[in-house]
Structure formats: structure tokens, C-alpha cells
Amino acid sequence: MKKLLLATLVCSLSSTYAVASENTTNSNKYQGFYVGAGVGTTDFHDDRESFLKNNHTVGYSNDGGAESYKIIAGYQFNRIVSLEAQYTAYGDVTHTLEKNGIKVTGKTKHESFSLAANLGYTFDNGLRPFATVGFGQISLKDPMIKDDGGLIRLGAGLEYQVKQVPGLGIRAAYEADFYTLETAVKDFDQSVGSWYLGTTYKF
């Protein structure tokens, strides 16, 4: 899975440079710096669930759903390509371990910073379907683990540029950060993501 994600990242970032020079005619209309923010729900996937059940007969579950928050900054080159930085504070993920009728719960907090290519197409009616692919840094904390590491960011969404308010954009998207949790026992592939609604303003 990590190799597939890395290959996707390399190919997509390479295509960014290939298309950045396209669509230059009248592209000033689409160029500019933008900032924004978003709010959504947290989604978490953890490879430890099957490992614990299969190897230690321990019941394990996790629950996301808490609110996540994003701060967005980027630069749009033309109809197709933007380069976008994001800070994301995910909602706490609650973990529950159960064995012999005894339950133990804990919470994990995730924060990430990513730099991604935002690839899509801005139609004349203001709609812009897009996908994001990039890399960054993630920090996670819970009562037993504190770790920082690299991530791969993947996402997709739809944005609408409001014609009545030049520069204002409204987007709905899903984006996820994929990373590896290294432990003394085993390395686990994990992902934390967010369905979110956001607004941006281009200068």
C-alpha cells in the first residue's frame, strides 16, 4: 500500500510541472494567492485492529467523528494547477481495548501540516472538481504514544467560485493523511482523514 501511494504521489507531482505551463491564455483570471479555512468530521483507520484480534484475542475498536479544523493557503497558477499548504487539527479519536470483560479506553490527537498539488479544472460556470496529492508531517499524541513522522496526503472534492463575490470559493472535499506508526512490536499503516466544508478567498 505504501508503495502504491508513493507511486501515485510521484506521478501526480510530476504531472503538475507538465500541466503548469498549459492554459496560459487569459490565465490571469485564474491566478493568485488564496487563503481559507474548513471544518469537518474526523475519520480514522487503524491496522492494529486485525493484529490485536488475530494475535492477542483482544477486542479493539476506535471511534472518530469528532470535529476537525483546517487552515488553508495556496497559489493558483491557472485553471488546472494550484499548490496548497494546509494545517489540520483532527478531532480526538477514542480507542477501546477489551479483554476478559475489562475495557480500557484512550484518546489520540492528530495534527498535520501538508503541501500538496491541487489538480482540477475550473469551468466557466465556476465549478472546479479537483484532487489533491502531496506530502507533509504528522504529529500524534495519546497517553502511551507520542510520535512525529512523514505522511502522504490524498484527497478529492468540488469547489465553486462565487461569481457574485469575486475571489470567494466554497468547497466540499475529503482528504486523508496516510502514515506509518512505528512500535517495538510492529509497524502499522494508519490513516486519518476528514470530510469537510470550507471557504477560500483569492486575492
Side-chain angles (χ1 to χ4, degrees):
M1 179 179 178
K2 289 185 288 185
K3 291 181 179 179
L4 176 61
L5 291 174
L6 184 58
T8 302
L9 173 64
V10 172
C11 292
S12 297
L13 289 180
S14 297
S15 69
T16 300
Y17 295 99
V19 300
S21 59
E22 295 181 4
N23 246 12
T24 55
T25 304
N26 297 322
S27 65
N28 287 341
K29 176 181 176 182
Y30 303 99
Q31 288 180 347
F33 288 98
Y34 59 92
V35 295
V39 61
T41 58
T42 300
D43 180 39
F44 182 69
H45 297 279
D46 191 349
D47 273 358
R48 289 179 295 181
E49 182 172 359
S50 59
F51 175 78
L52 289 171
K53 287 180 178 179
N54 294 336
N55 296 279
H56 299 280
T57 62
V58 175
Y60 173 80
S61 63
N62 62 71
D63 181 26
E67 289 186 343
S68 62
Y69 301 93
K70 293 177 176 286
I71 298 175
I72 303 165
Y75 184 83
Q76 185 170 356
F77 296 94
N78 50 40
R79 286 181 185 256
I80 299 172
V81 180
S82 298
L83 185 63
E84 187 168 294
Q86 273 194 31
Y87 165 77
T88 306
Y90 292 101
D92 291 346
V93 177
T94 301
H95 308 270
T96 302
L97 290 171
E98 182 177 2
K99 187 170 185 177
N100 300 325
I102 300 174
K103 291 186 177 181
V104 178
T105 62
K107 292 184 177 181
T108 301
K109 179 180 180 65
H110 294 86
E111 294 179 309
S112 74
F113 177 82
S114 64
L115 183 64
N118 182 314
L119 306 174
Y121 189 84
T122 306
F123 292 94
D124 291 337
N125 62 6
L127 287 175
R128 185 176 192 273
F130 67 89
T132 55
V133 57
F135 56 90
Q137 188 80 7
I138 192 163
S139 172
L140 65 94
K141 299 177 184 177
D142 68 25
M144 300 184 66
I145 299 173
K146 182 177 179 181
D147 193 22
D148 297 315
L151 64 84
I152 292 176
R153 162 68 63 92
L154 296 175
L158 180 67
E159 190 166 41
Y160 176 65
Q161 300 293 323
V162 182
K163 290 188 176 182
Q164 293 81 357
V165 186
L168 179 64
I170 300 173
R171 69 166 66 173
Y174 179 80
E175 293 174 327
D177 296 325
F178 297 84
Y179 65 96
T180 299
L181 176 64
E182 298 179 351
T183 72
V185 178
K186 190 178 184 294
D187 291 348
F188 297 96
D189 291 328
Q190 297 184 308
S191 69
V192 59
S194 177
W195 291 97
Y196 74 95
L197 184 66
T199 60
T200 60
Y201 185 81
K202 184 166 60 180
F203 299 96

